[in-house]
Amino acid sequence: MAASDARPRQLLLVVDAPSLLHRNHHARAHTRLMDRAGRPAWALHGMLRQIIEAIERFAPDAVIFGLDDRTASERADLYPDYKAGRAPKDAALVEQLDRSGAFLDALGLATLTPPGLEADDVSASGARWARDHGWSCVIITSDRDAFAHISEHTQVLRLINGGIDGSPLLNPTRLLSMYGVAAESYLDFAALRGDPSDNLPGVSGIGEKTAATLLTQAGSMQAVWADIEHNEGRVLAATLDAWAVETGSRRMGATVVRRLAVPEARERYDFNVRIMSGRDDLDLGLTPEVPGTPGLLPLELGHVHRVVGFLGVESTTTLAVRVLSTDPASARD
């Protein structure tokens, strides 16, 4: 096998910047870190440290950060109660969210703020871009929304309290073990369950366990809705009851069919799918065939030293200079 054939597939790292900034704002606010201009910088610094650690771990060829459009929202226009009930953002967090794009751009990393959309849409588009270009993809986020993009070519590193090294890297097998649903069924599962963090109720009477069983036994919601519409749900009820007998569980076929047969159930499911589906057709602006363009690694050392150094944390500057100057795994002999 030729040396070039033995190299790993090229890897795209897609970062949900707002979710990382939110987590780091709350986790690091006690540090009150200010940059050399006297502005709050603890969330930016925390996010940057985590991304440098991720780059050291995964050795990606390119990194793109998704940002939310904070001036307009297509989802809120469609559903005014979208994300209603969330506490107002702290002013220091808002200030760092607003500066994050310029900070990352100055560093040489690619960012995308899609008009009227969110970082989730950048994640969806990144997963599709990687698939279409024969790359692998890792999405870094603290949100569950990205689980819908897990596939054989895309994994999700869900940041939790353990940081980069202590967070689970989810692939189709691990997602199935966690939720009992196949990766390709996760969006259906989420639409049935709902998402309280986005103020999206689920289908009444269908919780996580029931949703997982329903999808595992029926195969898809398309099959479920077709059976309910054309056969009064008889096949679905019989399938669920047969599963109950086999596993020693309580029969629930008739109950599930009754809950799904009401018009409000289909309306809620369809609405949630529409809101939860990420746009996967965004132009990411990645040009891997042009060395030195934004997002490609390694970065220009002068930019790294100047931009990271402005945060005023010497250890982070030293780490950034070392890690961000390293060739990606696919380029190594």
Side-chain angles (χ1 to χ4, degrees):
M1 181 180 293
S4 60
D5 294 334
R7 291 172 180 164
R9 290 178 60 172
Q10 290 175 290
L11 174 66
L12 173 65
L13 202 64
V14 184
V15 182
D16 179 352
S19 75
L20 269 65
L21 287 165
H22 276 79
R23 286 189 66 84
N24 279 286
H25 171 71
H26 295 294
R28 297 173 182 262
H30 66 281
T31 69
R32 310 312 294 177
L33 177 69
M34 301 290 176
D35 65 16
R36 296 194 187 280
R39 299 172 299 184
W42 56 85
L44 284 169
H45 174 255
M47 177 184 69
L48 181 63
R49 285 286 305 206
Q50 289 181 326
I51 295 310
I52 294 172
E53 292 169 8
I55 290 172
E56 185 169 39
R57 173 178 173 180
F58 294 107
D61 296 81
V63 184
I64 186 166
F65 289 74
L67 298 164
D68 296 341
D69 183 353
R70 293 173 38 75
T71 65
S73 170
E74 291 184 2
R75 291 178 174 90
D77 289 343
L78 181 65
Y79 177 45
D81 288 333
Y82 181 59
K83 297 186 178 181
R86 292 190 179 186
K89 293 182 178 66
D90 182 80
L93 172 59
V94 171
E95 201 266 354
Q96 291 175 85
L97 284 167
D98 289 341
R99 284 167 40 215
S100 60
F103 174 80
L104 295 165
D105 288 338
L107 193 54
L109 295 166
T111 65
L112 180 60
T113 307
L117 298 173
E118 305 174 5
D120 293 339
D121 300 289
V122 180
S123 296
S125 296
R128 179 175 175 179
W129 186 96
R131 181 197 69 197
D132 291 348
H133 288 79
W135 287 37
S136 296
C137 179
V138 172
I139 298 171
I140 301 181
T141 182
S142 61
D143 295 336
R144 294 185 295 180
D145 297 345
F147 294 177
H149 313 313
I150 292 175
S151 69
E152 293 304 319
H153 70 269
T154 295
Q155 300 178 86
V156 172
L157 183 72
R158 189 187 184 196
L159 282 185
I160 51 177
N161 294 334
I164 293 294
D165 291 334
S167 296
L169 182 62
L170 305 181
N171 57 23
T173 300
R174 193 161 187 182
L175 184 70
L176 179 62
S177 69
M178 286 177 61
Y179 290 100
V181 294
E184 58 269 20
S185 297
Y186 185 82
L187 179 60
D188 284 345
F189 171 75
L192 289 168
R193 177 197 61 201
D195 188 348
S197 69
D198 287 342
N199 197 34
L200 290 171
V203 174
S204 181
I206 307 295
E208 280 199 1
K209 291 183 179 179
T210 300
T213 300
L214 175 64
L215 289 165
T216 301
Q217 298 305 310
S220 71
M221 285 308 296
Q222 288 72 24
V224 167
W225 297 125
D227 187 52
I228 289 175
E229 181 177 357
H230 301 293
N231 194 35
E232 298 181 340
R234 293 186 180 90
V235 171
L236 175 61
T239 299
L240 293 176
D241 286 344
W243 169 84
V245 170
E246 182 179 341
T247 59
S249 303
R250 178 175 56 85
R251 289 174 179 257
M252 60 177 179
T255 299
V256 170
V257 168
R258 183 173 66 254
R259 289 172 177 171
L260 292 176
V262 298
E264 294 82 2
R266 181 65 187 269
E267 292 169 3
R268 169 52 56 184
Y269 167 83
D270 287 344
F271 184 80
N272 283 352
V273 167
R274 184 176 179 185
I275 293 289
M276 293 176 171
S277 293
R279 282 275 303 275
D280 67 356
D281 59 348
L282 302 177
D283 181 1
L284 302 184
L286 294 174
T287 53
E289 70 281 0
V290 182
T293 54
L296 300 187
L297 296 173
L299 301 181
E300 201 279 314
L301 281 184
H303 291 168
V304 174
H305 198 278
R306 182 175 65 256
V307 175
V308 180
F310 198 73
L311 295 175
V313 183
E314 184 176 349
S315 61
T316 299
T317 303
T318 301
L319 179 65
V321 167
R322 176 174 64 80
V323 172
L324 300 181
S325 66
T326 303
D327 285 336
S330 65
R332 299 172 191 167
D333 292 333

